[in-house]
Amino acid sequence: MFSEEKLMLKLILSIFIFLSIIISSEKQDIIDVLEKYNKAFGEKKYSEIIKFFDYPASFNLTDKTITASNRFKLKLIYKKIIGSLPNYYSYSKWDDIDIQLTDENIAIVNADFSRYKKDHTIFYSGSAQYLLRLENDRWRIFSLTPYDKINTLK
């Protein structure tokens, strides 16, 4: 009886460790996608930026939603976004990334970021919610919503 309990405990522990490794790997995969996306954004590499998206992609602004149904339209959206940044913009960094999986194929990411000048001082900090889908073993953004603050209604 004692050996059965010990075996069961080992099995449960093994499953827990296995699941922890998988979840940690999923989290790192999502962070890697966001880091590469952020790098491409800072370097104004439009052809790279669009590789991180699944279509249709939506940008949910306060007053409207902009949808990109293909790579060409998404590239135009990013040319407008990046073109509206001040000349002294140099790069962006993630300050905090919170990831939730709704199932094995959808992730909700709330991320805080800062934008830096060429002298490495912050000139803007913001937040955005990214929805990502796992497709063909790659995480891709399909929705982006900038926000100031999330209020939880109870």
Side-chain angles (χ1 to χ4, degrees):
M1 184 80 153
F2 179 70
S3 63
E4 285 180 22
E5 289 174 354
K6 202 172 186 181
L7 183 62
M8 186 60 100
L9 183 61
K10 283 183 179 181
L11 180 62
I12 291 170
L13 186 59
S14 297
I15 291 171
F16 177 75
I17 291 170
F18 178 73
L19 290 175
S20 295
I21 291 169
I22 288 175
I23 290 170
S24 177
S25 174
E26 290 290 340
K27 181 178 181 179
Q28 192 57 53
D29 289 347
I30 293 167
I31 290 171
D32 289 347
V33 166
L34 292 173
E35 289 289 355
K36 290 174 185 172
Y37 159 79
N38 204 18
K39 186 174 190 288
F41 183 94
E43 294 173 353
K44 301 176 186 174
K45 292 184 176 178
Y46 304 108
S47 296
E48 288 297 311
I49 292 169
I50 63 175
K51 291 178 183 179
F52 299 105
F53 283 82
D54 188 27
Y55 302 94
S58 65
F59 294 79
N60 308 297
L61 308 177
T62 303
D63 58 341
K64 64 184 172 183
T65 297
I66 301 169
T67 303
S69 56
N70 56 53
R71 291 173 170 249
F72 177 74
K73 187 164 183 188
L74 186 63
K75 196 182 280 193
L76 290 176
I77 290 168
Y78 269 93
K79 284 186 178 191
K80 186 171 182 178
I81 291 170
I82 293 171
S84 70
L85 292 171
N87 290 336
Y88 51 80
Y89 171 76
S90 180
Y91 61 95
S92 300
K93 280 188 178 180
W94 301 113
D95 299 322
D96 188 37
I97 298 175
D98 178 48
I99 301 170
Q100 298 172 308
L101 294 178
T102 61
D103 61 32
E104 65 273 359
N105 295 316
I106 301 289
I108 300 170
V109 178
N110 289 301
D112 300 327
F113 61 90
S114 293
R115 291 185 176 151
Y116 290 79
K117 294 180 182 181
K118 293 175 181 164
D119 67 0
H120 307 291
T121 59
I122 296 171
F123 72 90
Y124 175 80
S125 292
S127 301
Q129 184 172 76
Y130 298 83
L131 300 182
L132 290 88
R133 176 180 294 117
L134 182 62
E135 193 170 285
N136 298 324
D137 294 325
R138 291 188 63 194
W139 287 99
R140 297 180 185 268
I141 301 164
F142 67 91
S143 181
L144 192 159
T145 306
Y147 63 87
D148 293 321
K149 179 181 170 187
I150 292 180
N151 293 317
T152 302
L153 304 177
K154 294 184 183 194

